[in-house]
Short mmCIF file of all heavy atoms in Angstrom, two decimals:
data_model
loop_
_atom_site.label_atom_id
_atom_site.label_comp_id
_atom_site.label_asym_id
_atom_site.label_seq_id
_atom_site.Cartn_x
_atom_site.Cartn_y
_atom_site.Cartn_z
N ALA A 14 1.47 6.81 -6.69
CA ALA A 14 0.38 7.71 -7.01
C ALA A 14 0.80 9.18 -6.85
O ALA A 14 0.50 10.01 -7.70
CB ALA A 14 -0.80 7.42 -6.11
N GLY A 65 1.95 23.33 -37.35
CA GLY A 65 2.91 22.81 -36.33
C GLY A 65 4.04 23.83 -36.09
O GLY A 65 4.38 24.11 -34.92
N ALA A 68 2.64 26.75 -34.26
CA ALA A 68 2.38 26.40 -32.82
C ALA A 68 3.67 26.49 -32.01
O ALA A 68 3.70 26.97 -30.92
CB ALA A 68 1.77 25.00 -32.73
N ASN A 78 7.62 35.22 -22.85
CA ASN A 78 6.80 36.21 -22.19
C ASN A 78 6.65 35.89 -20.68
O ASN A 78 6.76 36.79 -19.83
CB ASN A 78 5.44 36.26 -22.85
CG ASN A 78 4.42 37.15 -22.13
OD1 ASN A 78 3.68 36.66 -21.29
ND2 ASN A 78 4.43 38.42 -22.40
N LEU A 114 11.77 26.19 -28.59
CA LEU A 114 10.59 26.06 -29.46
C LEU A 114 10.70 27.07 -30.62
O LEU A 114 10.31 26.73 -31.75
CB LEU A 114 9.32 26.33 -28.65
CG LEU A 114 8.94 25.28 -27.60
CD1 LEU A 114 7.64 25.73 -26.88
CD2 LEU A 114 8.75 23.92 -28.22
N ALA A 132 9.86 33.38 -42.32
CA ALA A 132 10.22 34.74 -41.96
C ALA A 132 9.09 35.45 -41.18
O ALA A 132 9.32 36.11 -40.15
CB ALA A 132 10.52 35.56 -43.22
N SER A 180 -0.73 38.48 -50.13
CA SER A 180 -1.76 39.08 -50.92
C SER A 180 -2.47 40.16 -50.11
O SER A 180 -2.29 40.27 -48.89
CB SER A 180 -2.80 38.03 -51.35
OG SER A 180 -3.60 37.68 -50.22
N TRP A 184 -3.20 40.61 -45.85
CA TRP A 184 -2.90 41.80 -45.07
C TRP A 184 -4.15 42.42 -44.45
O TRP A 184 -4.08 43.03 -43.38
CB TRP A 184 -2.18 42.85 -45.94
CG TRP A 184 -0.74 42.49 -46.14
CD1 TRP A 184 -0.14 41.96 -47.25
CD2 TRP A 184 0.30 42.55 -45.13
NE1 TRP A 184 1.20 41.77 -47.07
CE2 TRP A 184 1.47 42.10 -45.76
CE3 TRP A 184 0.35 42.94 -43.83
CZ2 TRP A 184 2.71 42.03 -45.08
CZ3 TRP A 184 1.57 42.90 -43.12
CH2 TRP A 184 2.72 42.44 -43.78
N SER A 188 -4.76 43.14 -40.56
CA SER A 188 -5.24 44.43 -40.04
C SER A 188 -6.47 44.24 -39.17
O SER A 188 -6.60 45.01 -38.18
CB SER A 188 -5.58 45.34 -41.24
OG SER A 188 -4.43 45.56 -42.06
N HIS A 197 -10.30 44.63 -27.36
CA HIS A 197 -10.33 43.33 -26.65
C HIS A 197 -9.56 43.42 -25.35
O HIS A 197 -10.08 43.07 -24.27
CB HIS A 197 -9.73 42.27 -27.59
CG HIS A 197 -9.46 40.99 -26.89
ND1 HIS A 197 -10.44 40.14 -26.46
CD2 HIS A 197 -8.26 40.35 -26.58
CE1 HIS A 197 -9.91 39.06 -25.90
NE2 HIS A 197 -8.59 39.15 -25.95
N VAL A 214 2.02 48.29 -14.53
CA VAL A 214 1.98 48.23 -15.99
C VAL A 214 1.12 49.35 -16.53
O VAL A 214 -0.04 49.49 -16.10
CB VAL A 214 1.38 46.86 -16.46
CG1 VAL A 214 1.30 46.78 -17.98
CG2 VAL A 214 2.26 45.71 -15.94
N HIS A 251 -20.22 37.84 -52.16
CA HIS A 251 -20.03 39.22 -51.79
C HIS A 251 -21.10 39.73 -50.82
O HIS A 251 -20.81 40.29 -49.77
CB HIS A 251 -20.05 40.16 -53.03
CG HIS A 251 -19.00 39.82 -54.03
ND1 HIS A 251 -17.78 39.30 -53.70
CD2 HIS A 251 -18.97 39.95 -55.40
CE1 HIS A 251 -17.06 39.13 -54.78
NE2 HIS A 251 -17.76 39.51 -55.83
N THR A 259 -20.80 42.91 -41.41
CA THR A 259 -21.42 44.08 -40.81
C THR A 259 -22.19 43.76 -39.54
O THR A 259 -22.13 44.45 -38.55
CB THR A 259 -22.37 44.74 -41.83
OG1 THR A 259 -21.63 45.12 -42.99
CG2 THR A 259 -23.02 46.01 -41.25
N ASN A 274 -20.77 54.80 -22.89
CA ASN A 274 -21.80 55.71 -22.33
C ASN A 274 -22.30 55.28 -20.96
O ASN A 274 -23.21 55.87 -20.41
CB ASN A 274 -23.01 55.74 -23.29
CG ASN A 274 -22.63 56.50 -24.57
OD1 ASN A 274 -22.20 57.65 -24.50
ND2 ASN A 274 -22.89 55.91 -25.72
N LYS A 276 -22.20 54.70 -16.90
CA LYS A 276 -21.68 55.26 -15.69
C LYS A 276 -21.81 54.25 -14.55
O LYS A 276 -21.02 54.23 -13.60
CB LYS A 276 -22.39 56.57 -15.32
CG LYS A 276 -22.12 57.70 -16.30
CD LYS A 276 -22.80 58.97 -15.85
CE LYS A 276 -22.56 60.08 -16.88
NZ LYS A 276 -23.22 61.37 -16.49
N PHE A 288 -16.08 39.50 -23.58
CA PHE A 288 -16.58 38.21 -24.09
C PHE A 288 -17.16 38.38 -25.49
O PHE A 288 -17.02 37.47 -26.31
CB PHE A 288 -17.61 37.63 -23.11
CG PHE A 288 -16.97 37.08 -21.86
CD1 PHE A 288 -17.26 37.65 -20.64
CD2 PHE A 288 -16.10 35.98 -21.94
CE1 PHE A 288 -16.65 37.14 -19.49
CE2 PHE A 288 -15.53 35.46 -20.77
CZ PHE A 288 -15.79 36.06 -19.57
N TYR A 293 -16.14 37.68 -31.49
CA TYR A 293 -16.06 38.37 -32.76
C TYR A 293 -15.04 37.72 -33.73
O TYR A 293 -15.38 37.42 -34.88
CB TYR A 293 -15.67 39.84 -32.60
CG TYR A 293 -15.38 40.51 -33.92
CD1 TYR A 293 -16.44 41.00 -34.72
CD2 TYR A 293 -14.08 40.63 -34.43
CE1 TYR A 293 -16.19 41.58 -35.94
CE2 TYR A 293 -13.83 41.20 -35.63
CZ TYR A 293 -14.90 41.66 -36.41
OH TYR A 293 -14.65 42.20 -37.64
N LEU A 294 -13.85 37.51 -33.24
CA LEU A 294 -12.79 37.11 -34.17
C LEU A 294 -13.02 35.70 -34.79
O LEU A 294 -12.95 35.56 -36.02
CB LEU A 294 -11.41 37.14 -33.48
CG LEU A 294 -10.23 37.50 -34.35
CD1 LEU A 294 -10.46 38.85 -35.07
CD2 LEU A 294 -8.94 37.58 -33.54
#
Side-chain angles (χ1 to χ4, degrees):
N78 172 268
L114 292 179
S180 74
W184 283 106
S188 300
H197 169 69
V214 178
H251 300 330
T259 301
N274 289 307
K276 293 182 180 178
F288 287 114
Y293 172 82
L294 213 56

